[in-house]
Every structure is written in structure tokens, then in C-alpha cells.
Amino acid sequence: YLGGDEADQPHSLVTDAAGNLVIMGVTSSDNFPTTTGAYNETFNLGDYLPNLDGIYYNNGTDIFVAKLDANGSSLLGSTYIGGSANDGFSLNPNLKFNYADHARGEVVLDANNTIYITSSTRSADFPAPVGSHQQSLGGNYDGIVSCFSADLTTLNWSTYLGGSNGDAGYSIRVSESNNMVAVCGGTNSTNIGATSGTINTSYSNNVDGYVATFNKSTGALNALTYLGTGSYDQAYILEIDADNDIYVTGQTKGAYPVIGSGVYSNPNSTQFIHKMDPALTTTAFSTVFGSGSSAVNISITAFLVDKCENLYVAGWGGWTNNEGFTNGMPIT
């Protein structure tokens, strides 16, 4: 077990080369196990959250990051990170489209076992030190990106990522050769901070996806692009290949562009895949897949690009989500 006397929920986990397990999630426990010398050993009270998917977060929530050794016998490091409101959830009603979307967020490691997370916050005092890309909360919820030392004693850098409305951080990956961290998520902010020359510098409408890249050493923003159609769109999971190209998959309710010669596509479908260069300026290809109905088919839960650049997507459908069934999706 890993937790305290209130609700604790893991959101993402990853292993390092030695088999140690790094876990990121949310906790409402003021006695969640932390380790001596960790970045933050003290819980930050948030706002009471009643019956969130059947769970009561009586003290509000903080994000936790913890590391267990390879056989699960020792807690190598554990820390809180958060502010005086709720952290680790995005409850903006425009972004919570699928069941448990609020609980998205990820942790990844680089070759030195440095720890990177993305998630969401509504705390105006979430750690974002002087010199960060964005030091202040932009709207009612912002995405966050944070980087810790491998032993969780030091916060290397941390930043908000959001505009004046609702924003969420869902997925994160690291490129060693490009010294880059890439994140994606959802936004309904017109001013999240898209950079000049990227694929889409303007907010489309309703809800857009986004992709952003940062210098992994300093947290400085490299580039940010919207992904959207003028209807509902969100970018849920991304991957980086050996050439540092970025792939992202998500949902769309609009006419998401199908670009590329001979690209596989199911016309009028509501799940997309988009491949772009690391500068976020050029589309290599984009496509849609699904049943061709106007309803979203699946909540996307996993995405992988293998060494041969084959793409794998997993998800689930049904009315527990906002809409959609897997009926009619293509099979082989």
C-alpha cells in the first residue's frame, strides 16, 4: 500500500533502468508518506471535493511523486507538490469530456533518472519560481510542468502552462538528443501562448488541443501550437521518435485535416493522429480514425510509437464517457 488516512490516487507510473518505480498522483492525506529531505514534506490544504467519481477528497488535493525500489521494500523518495487550492485535477467542465479526464497527467524520466511531470492545478501559489516560463495562474485551471532531481529532494524547475480560461496537462515525454520535454493537453484559452511560426498559432473555438516543448534543463519554452478545428478537440497522449518528431493522438468533433500522400484514414471520424517536427512548425501527416460517426468513439488511454515508427492506440468506449461506442470501428 502507498497512502495516508484520506483518499490517495495514482495517475501515472514508470520504471527506471534499475527497476525502481516512480509514481505520480494526487493525495488528500496530510500524512501521506514522504521522505526526509524531500522537496516538500508538508501537505498543502486545498478545497473539499465531494464525491468525485465516488471518492471524497476531504482535505482537497496535492500532487505526490514517490519512488519505490525494485522489489517494493523501500521508499527511496517521496514528496508533495502543490499550493493552497486543489492540485492534480482539472475540473474545468469544458475539458472533462470523458470519464476520469480530470485525473490525467503523467510522469517520465530521462537517462539520468531526472523526473518530469505534467498535470493541472487551480492553486495561485503552485511552485513556479522566478525565471519560470509562466509564474502566475492564468485562469481557473492551468496545466503545470515540473522537473525534480532523481531523489526528489530538489525542484529543478516548474511552470504554469495556461491562459485566462481552462487548461490541463495530460501527457509528457523527454527527448535526450534534442534536450527537449514535450507536453500536450486541452485548453479553452485564447491566450495560452502559441509561438510564432507554429502549425496553428490561433485558438480555433470551443476546446482545442495543444502541444508545447521546453528545454529540459532550464524549463524555457521552445514552442507551442494549438491543435483544433473550430469544434471540440483535445490532445491526450504524445510520443517522440528517434528523429525527435512528435506524434499526438486525441479526439475531435470537427473536420480534422487529413494530410499526407496515401495516409490511412476513416473519413469523418472523431479520433486523430498528428505527426509534426520538433519545432512544431511542419506537419508530416495527420489523419482521423474511427467509425465515421459524429460521436467520439473512445476515450484514449494509451499510445505508442515503436522503433520502426509503427503506431499503436488503445482506448475504450461507452456511455460512461460523455458519448460514443466502439460499434463500427474498423477491424482487420
Side-chain angles (χ1 to χ4, degrees):
Y1 291 103
L2 180 64
D5 58 10
E6 292 290 344
D8 315 285
Q9 185 184 57
H11 290 177
S12 176
L13 53 81
V14 66
T15 55
D16 65 18
N20 300 314
L21 180 66
V22 181
I23 309 138
M24 185 273 284
V26 298
T27 179
S28 193
S29 300
D30 59 10
N31 61 344
F32 188 91
T34 58
T35 49
T36 302
Y39 162 70
N40 184 357
E41 300 176 47
T42 305
F43 181 75
N44 303 281
L45 285 172
D47 305 315
Y48 171 60
L49 291 175
N51 195 20
L52 185 58
D53 291 340
I55 303 172
Y56 289 78
Y57 295 91
N58 294 319
N59 296 327
T61 56
D62 267 4
I63 297 168
F64 74 82
V65 186
K67 179 186 282 191
L68 292 166
D69 70 355
N71 59 15
S73 63
S74 178
L75 189 64
L76 302 179
S78 181
T79 186
Y80 294 106
I81 182 171
S84 54
N86 292 322
D87 312 285
F89 288 145
S90 175
L91 297 176
N92 181 284
N94 296 295
L95 304 181
K96 192 178 181 297
F97 188 83
N98 308 285
Y99 178 82
D101 270 358
H102 64 279
R104 292 183 184 266
E106 282 190 326
V107 58
V108 293
L109 312 176
D110 68 13
N112 297 317
N113 295 324
T114 304
I115 298 168
Y116 304 82
I117 67 168
T118 190
S119 187
S120 305
T121 185
R122 64 172 301 168
S123 293
D125 53 352
F126 189 90
V130 173
S132 300
H133 160 64
Q134 182 181 334
Q135 296 175 47
S136 301
L137 182 72
N140 56 6
Y141 288 92
D142 275 7
I144 61 94
V145 188
S146 301
C147 171
F148 294 92
S149 61
D151 60 3
L152 292 169
T153 62
T154 303
L155 184 65
N156 295 338
W157 55 265
S158 183
T159 184
Y160 290 99
L161 182 59
S164 55
N165 286 325
D167 311 276
Y170 293 149
S171 182
I172 185 168
R173 295 292 184 271
V174 178
S175 167
E176 298 285 352
S177 61
N178 212 23
N179 196 42
M180 177 180 71
V181 172
V183 299
C184 73
T187 179
N188 70 331
S189 295
T190 61
N191 56 346
I192 194 174
T195 53
S196 177
T198 53
I199 292 167
N200 192 346
T201 59
S202 299
Y203 177 72
S204 296
N205 191 28
N206 193 343
V207 175
D208 276 3
Y210 71 84
V211 177
T213 63
F214 297 84
N215 181 297
K216 83 178 187 74
S217 302
T218 67
L221 181 71
N222 294 333
L224 189 153
T225 185
Y226 286 103
L227 296 176
T229 63
S231 188
Y232 163 84
D233 311 272
Q234 286 204 81
Y236 282 115
I237 309 178
L238 57 75
E239 279 284 296
I240 303 174
D241 69 16
D243 299 319
N244 294 312
D245 290 327
I246 295 171
Y247 304 71
V248 64
T249 186
Q251 297 173 328
T252 180
K253 295 278 285 180
Y256 204 90
V258 176
I259 300 171
S261 176
V263 66
Y264 174 82
S265 181
N266 306 130
N268 305 314
S269 290
T270 48
Q271 291 75 219
F272 72 84
I273 298 173
H274 197 139
K275 178 182 178 181
M276 62 202 77
D277 71 322
L280 310 182
T281 60
T282 305
T283 294
F285 72 79
S286 63
T287 192
V288 292
F289 67 96
S291 67
S293 73
S294 60
V296 166
N297 294 121
I298 57 173
S299 173
I300 294 169
T301 54
F303 184 48
L304 176 69
V305 179
D306 70 16
K307 292 181 179 180
C308 298
E309 298 184 12
N310 298 306
L311 280 64
Y312 306 79
V313 186
W316 66 283
W319 288 119
T320 302
N321 289 324
N322 187 56
E323 62 181 47
F325 284 106
T326 55
N327 293 352
M329 292 189 71
I331 59 173
T332 56

